[in-house]
C-alpha cells in the first residue's frame, strides 16, 4: 500500500467519524503527518476492545495547532516540528507515564528522550529519527578501508583520488562535488557547527562556522574539480539519474542521502551499494525532522492515550508492527516503523538488522548521536526557501554576483507569513 492510498484511507475514516460526533467522541483522536500511523491504528483497534483510535492526517500537523472549533480535536499529536516555543505550549506533561512505569527511561536513547524535555518536564517523547549518510558502490569499498564513519576531510581526500580525465582534459569521473546537492551543503554546515537555533519566529546561527563551511566547500571545488561550472556540466551530462544509480554507474564515487531514503529502496535498487554515516569528531548529527509524540493539553481521553502510547513505545509491539508491515507489504516506500529509526534502542539493535541487513555491524552507538538544536516549526520552509538557496549561491566559485545575505532572505521570507 503506497503513501497516497494510506492518506486517502485516513481522510475517509476521519470524514465518516466527523459526521457522527457521538461516535467520534468515543475514539482517541491522533493527528499525524506520518501515514504509517494508519496501519498502527488498524492493528491497535483489532487488539484492544475498550480503546479505539482514529487517525487524522495533517500534512502540516505542527502548523495546524491549535485546532479550530469545528475540527475533530486531537488527543495525541504524532508529528515532526513539535519541539519549539510556538507549538509545545499545546501539550501536557507525560512525566506520569514514567512515574507509573508505563514507560521506562532506560529503554530510550537518553539524549533523544531529553530532546522532549521542557522546563524539566517530559512534554514530548520522540518516536523516530533519521541520520545523514554517504552511499557508494561496493566495488569501491577498498577506498574506505575499515572506516565506519565518514568525515568531510576523508570524503574530500578520497573523492580527489577518484577524479579522472580523458585526453581532452575533460572529466570522465568526479569523486564528489559539494555543489551537486544543496542538502549536503546543509549537512556540512551542521557538521561545521552552524548551530541553527530558534529565536522567536525566526532563527540564529553561528556566522563564523557558516562562513567557514562556505569557504571550505569552495576550496574543495577549486582545488580538485576546477570550478562550479565544470561540476554542474558534469552533473548535467552524467548524473541525471537517481542517486543510487549515480554511484553504480561509476561516474562518481559518492552520493549524499539519508537513512529513510536509502533504506526505502528495494533490493534491486540498493544491491551492490554500501554506505557510511556522515560524521564529525566521531559524532553523527540526527536529522532535524524528528517525529515526536505529544499529549494535547485539552484531551478528554488521558487514560486511552496512556494505553496507546505505552503500546506503541514497546519493543514487542514495534517488532510486531515491523513484521506486519513487511509481511503484508504495507507502506513499502518508507523505512522502519515511522519512516525512521526507533527512539527505543533495543528495537534498532535487535529488530532492524533482521529486515535491513545492511545495518548489521553498522548501527551507530548511542554516544555517537547528536541532537539538533530547537528549531522553528516552519523550519522545513525556512530551510527550503532561505538556507539552501543561500548555501548553493555562496559556494558557486564562478559567480560575479554577491549573494543576498541570510538577513535579507529572512526579512523577505517573513513578509509572507507575519
Amino acid at each position: 500500500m503506497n503513501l497516497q492510498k494510506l492518506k486517502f484511507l485516513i481522510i475517509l475514516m476521519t470524514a465518516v467519524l466527523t459526521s457522527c460526533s457521538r461516535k467520534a467522541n468515543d475514539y482517541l483522536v491522533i493527528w499525524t503527518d506520518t501515514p504509517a500511523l494508519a496501519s498502527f491504528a488498524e492493528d491497535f483497534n483489532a487488539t484492544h476492545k475498550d480503546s479505539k483510535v482514529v487517525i487524522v492526517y495533517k500534512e502540516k500537523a505542527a502548523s495546524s495547532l491549535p485546532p479550530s472549533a469545528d475540527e475533530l480535536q486531537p488527543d495525541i499529536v504524532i508529528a515532526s516540528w513539535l519541539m519549539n516555543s510556538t507549538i509545545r505550549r499545546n501539550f501536557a506533561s507525560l512525566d506520569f507515564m514514567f512515574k507509573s512505569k508505563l514507560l521506562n527511561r532506560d529503554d530510550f536513547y537518553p539524549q533523544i528522550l531529553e530532546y522532549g524535555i521542557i522546563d524539566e518536564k517530559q512534554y514530548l517523547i520522540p518516536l523516530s529519527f533519521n541520520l545523514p549518510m554517504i552511499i557508494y558502490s561496493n566495488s569501491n569499498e577498498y577506498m574506505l578501508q575499515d572506516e565506519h564513519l565518514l568525515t568531510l576531510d576523508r570524503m574530500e581526500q578520497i573523492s580527489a583520488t577518484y577524479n579522472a580525465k580523458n585526453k581532452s582534459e575533460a572529466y570522465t569521473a568526479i569523486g564528489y562535488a559539494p555543489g551537486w546537492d544543496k542538502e549536503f551543503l546543509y549537512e556540512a554546515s551542521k557538521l561545521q557547527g552552524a548551530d541553527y537555533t530558534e529565536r522567536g519566529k525566526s532563527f540564529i546561527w553561528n556566522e563564523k562556522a557558516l562562513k567557514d563551511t562556505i569557504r571550505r566547500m569552495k576550496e574543495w571545488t577549486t582545488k580538485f574539480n576546477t570550478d562550479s561550472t565544470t561540476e554542474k556540466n558534469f552533473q548535467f551530462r552524467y548524473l541525471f539519474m537517481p542517486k543510487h544509480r549515480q554511484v553504480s554507474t561509476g561516474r562518481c564515487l559518492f552520493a549524499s542521502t539519508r537513512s529513510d531514503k536509502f533504506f526505502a529502496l528495494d533490493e534491486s535498487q540498493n544491491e551492490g551499494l554500501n554506505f557510511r554515516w556522515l560524521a564529525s569528531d566521531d559524532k553523527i548529527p540526527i536529522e532535524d525532522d524528528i517525529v515526536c509524540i505529544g499529549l494535547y493539553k485539552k484531551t478528554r481521553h488521558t487514560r486511552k492515550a496512556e494505553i496507546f502510547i505505552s503500546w506503541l513505545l514497546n519493543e514487542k509491539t514495534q517488532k510486531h508492527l515491523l513484521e506486519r508491515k513487511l509481511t503484508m507489504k504495507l507502506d513499502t516506500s518508507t523505512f522502519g516503523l515511522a519512516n525512521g529509526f526507533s527512539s527505543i534502542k533495543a528495537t534498532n539493535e535487535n529488530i532492524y538488522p533482521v529486515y535491513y541487513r545492511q545495518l548489521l555491524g553498522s548501527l551507530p552507538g548511542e554516544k555517537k548521536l547528536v541532537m539538533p538544536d530547537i528549531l522553528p516549526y516552519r523550519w522545513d520552509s525556512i530551510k527550503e526557501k532561505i538556507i539552501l538557496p543561500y548555501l548553493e549561491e555562496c559556494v558557486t566559485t564562478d559567480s560575479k554576483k554577491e549573494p543576498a545575505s541570510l538577513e535579507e532572505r529572512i526579512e523577505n521570507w517573513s513578509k509572507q507569513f507575519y
Side-chain angles (χ1 to χ4, degrees):
M1 185 179 293
N2 61 34
L3 286 176
Q4 292 304 319
K5 287 182 179 179
L6 280 172
K7 291 176 184 178
F8 174 76
L9 289 174
I10 292 169
I11 293 168
L12 181 62
M13 182 187 296
T14 304
V16 170
L17 282 173
T18 305
S19 67
C20 180
S21 59
R22 185 191 63 79
K23 189 173 183 180
N25 287 337
D26 293 337
Y27 277 73
L28 180 75
V29 177
I30 300 176
W31 279 17
T32 186
D33 59 5
T34 306
L37 265 292
S39 63
F40 298 175
E42 181 182 36
D43 190 83
F44 179 85
N45 289 343
T47 55
H48 291 74
K49 293 182 179 180
D50 299 327
S51 298
K52 303 293 182 181
V53 304
V54 61
I55 302 296
V56 177
Y57 180 75
K58 294 277 188 178
E59 189 169 356
K60 302 290 184 181
S63 57
S64 298
L65 289 168
S68 59
D70 59 346
E71 285 188 286
L72 191 58
Q73 300 202 7
D75 297 294
I76 298 173
V77 181
I78 302 179
S80 50
W81 314 117
L82 300 183
M83 187 57 184
N84 51 73
S85 59
T86 303
I87 304 303
R88 65 194 184 197
R89 68 187 64 162
N90 291 283
F91 301 111
S93 170
L94 287 163
D95 283 333
F96 66 89
M97 296 204 65
F98 296 97
K99 292 176 181 177
S100 61
K101 304 201 180 296
L102 290 168
L103 297 175
N104 185 345
R105 291 190 178 275
D106 292 337
D107 291 341
F108 297 83
Y109 293 92
Q111 70 272 46
I112 293 178
L113 192 58
E114 287 171 10
Y115 177 78
I117 294 178
I118 307 163
D119 298 329
E120 300 183 353
K121 293 182 179 180
Q122 192 79 51
Y123 280 93
L124 297 169
I125 301 178
L127 173 63
S128 65
F129 65 93
N130 280 287
L131 301 173
M133 60 199 306
I134 302 298
I135 59 173
Y136 58 93
S137 170
N138 274 332
S139 62
N140 296 313
E141 180 70 35
Y142 70 95
M143 301 183 76
L144 281 84
Q145 301 174 0
D146 295 327
E147 300 168 86
H148 293 290
L149 306 179
L150 190 60
T151 65
L152 294 175
D153 282 341
R154 284 294 291 151
M155 191 176 174
E156 181 180 348
Q157 292 165 7
I158 300 170
S159 295
T161 66
Y162 193 80
N163 287 5
K165 295 181 178 180
N166 60 22
K167 293 181 180 178
S168 302
E169 288 297 298
Y171 284 100
T172 56
I174 293 180
Y176 192 72
W180 285 346
D181 190 337
K182 292 179 287 187
E183 289 288 345
F184 173 78
L185 297 175
Y186 176 70
E187 294 297 339
S189 71
K190 288 174 62 178
L191 289 170
Q192 292 284 99
D195 291 335
Y196 305 106
T197 307
E198 176 191 49
R199 172 169 287 182
K201 294 179 180 179
S202 186
F203 69 102
I204 57 174
W205 64 93
N206 184 317
E207 180 69 15
K208 181 180 183 304
L210 193 57
K211 294 297 184 185
D212 285 347
T213 302
I214 292 167
R215 173 189 53 76
R216 184 173 184 176
M217 297 298 103
K218 293 177 73 172
E219 288 178 354
W220 182 337
T221 293
T222 56
K223 186 176 180 180
F224 298 114
N225 303 335
T226 308
D227 54 38
S228 294
T229 298
T230 302
E231 291 176 339
K232 289 293 185 182
N233 288 342
F234 183 91
Q235 183 183 35
F236 178 79
R237 183 174 184 181
Y238 296 115
L239 306 179
F240 49 82
M241 67 283 287
K243 291 181 178 181
H244 63 277
R245 287 283 297 131
Q246 292 175 13
V247 294
S248 63
T249 63
R251 289 293 182 178
C252 65
L253 174 60
F254 294 126
S256 173
T257 187
R258 41 185 276 167
S259 52
D260 54 340
K261 294 181 179 180
F262 180 71
F263 291 113
L265 298 174
D266 61 38
E267 290 184 5
S268 65
Q269 292 173 317
N270 66 23
E271 184 179 6
L273 302 184
N274 209 332
F275 69 91
R276 293 291 187 271
W277 304 116
L278 187 60
S280 176
D281 297 325
D282 209 34
K283 301 292 184 183
I284 307 169
I286 289 176
E287 297 286 3
D288 303 326
D289 53 347
I290 300 162
V291 175
C292 290
I293 302 171
L295 179 66
Y296 186 52
K297 65 181 181 181
K298 294 183 180 179
T299 178
R300 291 171 294 179
H301 297 126
T302 302
R303 178 55 187 157
K304 291 179 180 179
E306 289 179 12
I307 294 170
F308 181 81
I309 294 172
S310 59
W311 172 83
L312 181 58
L313 294 174
N314 176 278
E315 182 189 355
K316 290 182 179 179
T317 298
Q318 295 192 351
K319 179 181 179 181
H320 164 71
L321 291 174
L322 189 54
E323 289 174 345
R324 180 175 180 270
K325 167 190 168 179
L326 297 173
T327 301
M328 299 178 66
K329 301 186 185 305
L330 298 170
D331 195 14
T332 53
S333 62
T334 64
F335 164 52
L337 288 163
N339 206 23
F341 288 106
S342 172
S343 59
I344 297 177
K345 291 182 290 184
T347 298
N348 295 329
E349 294 169 355
N350 301 332
I351 303 169
Y352 272 54
V354 175
Y355 299 100
Y356 302 97
R357 301 305 296 273
Q358 287 165 302
L359 287 172
L360 280 169
S362 297
L363 278 169
E366 65 177 67
K367 293 183 179 179
K368 295 184 184 297
L369 304 178
V370 178
M371 300 299 292
D373 288 315
I374 306 304
L375 298 166
Y377 72 97
R378 285 198 173 106
W379 187 248
D380 54 346
S381 176
I382 291 172
K383 176 182 164 185
E384 182 66 28
K385 302 295 185 182
I386 298 175
I387 298 174
L388 296 186
Y390 173 75
L391 289 170
E392 184 178 40
E393 291 175 31
C394 286
V395 302
T396 301
T397 63
D398 34 12
S399 174
K400 297 179 181 179
K401 183 180 179 181
E402 183 70 22
S405 69
L406 272 183
E407 289 84 356
E408 292 173 303
R409 295 167 193 264
I410 292 169
E411 182 179 357
N412 291 333
W413 177 87
S414 297
K415 291 176 182 178
Q416 302 175 42
F417 295 100
Y418 308 111

